[in-house]
Amino acid sequence: MEDILSQEEVDALLKGIAEGAVETEKVEEVSGIKPYDFTGQEKIVRGRMPSLDIANERLARNFRLSLSAAIRRMVDVTNVNVNITKFYDFMRGVPFPSSINVFKMEPLRGFGLLVFDAPMIFSLIEFFFGGTGKGYYKPEGREFTPIEQKIIHKVVMMFFNDMEEAWKPIYPIVPTYVRSEMNPQFVTIVTPVDVVIKVEFVLEIEGKQCRAFLCIPYGTVEPIKEKLYSAFSADRDELDIKWLERLKERLKEIPVTVTGRLGDTRVTVQNVLDMKVSDVIILNRRVDEDIDILVEGTPKFKGRFGIYKGSYALKITKVIAHGS
C-alpha cells in the first residue's frame, strides 16, 4: 500500500506537470502513419462511383422495358438514390414483409440482396392476372403463396437478366439466384458493421408507387473499384460497341472488285505488235496450279478457274493468311 499516492501527492504531481516543473516523456510522432478503425469501413469509400451510376441508370431503363412488356402496362422505373451505409442500417430499413432475394455476382465473391417491398409484389401479381392494381390487400401476418412466389421469381430473374446486361460495359457479371426470404431477421450476408452499397429504385405503375432495393457489399465490388470510380469508361465502352456494330454493317454493303489472275509473263512491245489470232502466250503458272484471287488488287484467296452452270466462275480453295 506504500506505493499508492495520496490525494495531496496526486494534486502536487499534476500541478508540477502543468507548470513544467516535472518533466514528462515525449512521444515521437512517426510521419506517414495514420490510425485505422476496423469498425469504420465507410472511411475508405470516398467520392461517387460514376460507372456504377451509369450501370444503375441502364438497369432502370432495361427493367422498365422488360416489366412493361411482361404486364402490358406502362411502368416507370427510376434510380433515385445510391448510398454507402452499414448492413445493419440497411436491414433496419427493410419493411416486413418484403421479398428479400439473395444472389451471387459471379465471378465476384460474396452475396447481394434484391428487395421488393410488399406493395410492389401484390401490384405486380394483380397485373399479371389481369387486374387493375387498385385492389386492397393486407400483407401483414401471412406468407407469400406458392403462386405468388412463382410470379416473384419470374420478376427477380427478369431483373437479374437486365442487371447482367447493364453491367457488361463495366465488368461482366452473372447474377445467380440463391434463395428468398420474407423476414429481414433471417437474412445475413455480411456482419452488421460491414459497409454495403444501397441502390434504391422507385417504380410507378398505374399511378401507384413502390420500391425496390439492391444491396451489394462493398467487399464484393472492391476488386473492381477502379472500374466503378472511372468517370467515362462505361459510356465510352457502350458507344464504342454500338459504333463498331454500325461500322461493320456499313462495311458489308461496300461493293468491291474481285478478279482472278491466271498468271503473268513478260513480253516486248514488238512481240505485242506481232501478235495475231491463234498465237499462244506462255504464262508463269501451270494449268493444274491454283490461281490468285484478288480483292481490289490485293491477293486474298487461292482458287481454280472453271465453268459453273454455263458461266465462268472462280472456286476458292484457300484463304491467304494475312502477311503471307
Side-chain angles (χ1 to χ4, degrees):
M1 300 295 293
E2 296 178 356
D3 295 333
I4 298 177
L5 300 178
S6 64
Q7 186 62 45
E8 291 79 7
E9 292 173 328
V10 172
D11 294 339
L13 180 61
L14 293 175
K15 182 178 179 181
I17 294 174
E19 295 176 354
V22 178
E23 294 185 358
T24 58
E25 183 180 355
K26 295 183 179 180
V27 179
E28 296 183 1
E29 295 184 0
V30 181
S31 61
I33 298 179
K34 298 180 181 180
Y36 180 81
D37 182 6
F38 286 93
T39 64
Q41 287 181 319
E42 66 272 9
K43 294 181 181 179
I44 66 174
V45 185
R46 298 186 178 92
R48 298 187 60 188
M49 292 177 277
S51 292
L52 180 61
D53 293 337
I54 294 171
N56 291 332
E57 291 295 335
R58 189 183 298 111
L59 172 57
R61 181 174 64 250
N62 294 347
F63 189 54
R64 177 175 67 245
L65 297 175
S66 300
L67 195 57
S68 298
I71 66 175
R72 291 177 172 78
R73 298 286 198 284
M74 182 58 66
V75 181
D76 187 21
V77 182
T78 307
N79 172 219
V80 296
N81 204 0
V82 178
N83 283 333
I84 304 296
T85 184
K86 291 185 178 180
F87 182 66
Y88 169 77
D89 295 328
F90 171 79
M91 295 306 297
R92 190 171 56 178
V94 175
F96 175 76
S98 295
S99 175
I100 308 173
N101 304 277
V102 183
F103 67 95
K104 298 185 68 175
M105 295 176 60
E106 301 286 355
L108 300 176
R109 62 182 178 85
F111 298 88
L113 297 180
L114 171 61
V115 181
F116 293 146
D117 62 4
M120 174 180 173
I121 294 301
F122 289 105
S123 295
L124 289 178
I125 290 172
E126 189 168 349
F127 282 128
F128 267 110
F129 288 99
T132 61
K134 299 180 180 179
Y136 173 76
Y137 46 82
K138 184 179 179 181
E140 294 82 2
R142 76 172 183 86
E143 296 184 353
F144 296 124
T145 65
I147 294 179
E148 291 170 346
Q149 291 175 359
K150 287 286 187 181
I151 298 298
I152 294 171
H153 184 74
K154 179 178 180 179
V155 176
V156 168
M157 298 309 297
M158 191 186 307
F159 188 95
F160 287 162
N161 290 335
D162 294 333
M163 183 177 177
E164 179 180 351
E165 188 67 26
W167 274 68
K168 276 184 180 179
I170 302 175
Y171 188 81
I173 62 167
V174 180
T176 306
Y177 175 83
V178 178
R179 62 186 176 89
S180 295
E181 294 287 350
M182 289 185 61
N183 194 333
Q185 296 180 355
F186 299 150
V187 179
T188 302
I189 57 173
V190 290
T191 63
V193 297
D194 277 354
V195 174
V196 298
I197 302 172
K198 173 187 175 183
V199 184
E200 180 179 357
F201 298 93
V202 171
L203 291 83
E204 186 171 349
I205 312 172
E206 299 287 336
K208 300 183 67 173
Q209 283 194 350
C210 38
R211 297 184 301 167
F213 300 95
L214 265 179
C215 173
I216 304 175
Y218 183 77
T220 297
V221 298
E222 190 171 13
I224 60 169
K225 63 181 180 181
E226 297 301 328
K227 296 180 180 291
L228 299 179
Y229 285 120
S230 173
F232 59 92
S233 63
D235 267 350
R236 181 188 63 187
D237 292 344
E238 183 183 24
L239 292 175
D240 284 350
I241 293 172
K242 291 183 178 179
W243 182 83
L244 287 174
E245 291 298 329
R246 289 197 296 268
L247 180 61
K248 289 178 181 178
E249 293 301 320
R250 295 296 180 269
L251 287 175
K252 293 176 182 179
E253 300 173 1
I254 298 176
V256 294
T257 300
V258 180
T259 55
R261 187 167 63 192
L262 298 178
D264 301 306
T265 190
R266 295 179 65 89
V267 296
T268 64
V269 174
Q270 185 62 48
N271 291 336
V272 174
L273 294 176
D274 293 341
M275 284 184 184
K276 57 183 181 297
V277 178
S278 74
D279 284 350
V280 177
I281 301 175
I282 306 299
L283 303 179
N284 63 344
R285 196 184 301 274
R286 297 196 308 269
V287 177
D288 56 350
E289 287 186 37
D290 289 343
I291 64 174
D292 294 330
I293 300 176
L294 292 74
V295 179
E296 293 294 331
T298 303
K300 291 294 183 181
F301 310 98
K302 292 285 187 179
R304 293 292 181 92
F305 177 77
I307 297 177
Y308 180 74
K309 293 184 178 180
S311 300
Y312 292 115
L314 288 172
K315 180 180 180 181
I316 295 175
T317 59
K318 179 183 178 182
V319 177
I320 299 177
H322 180 69
S324 62

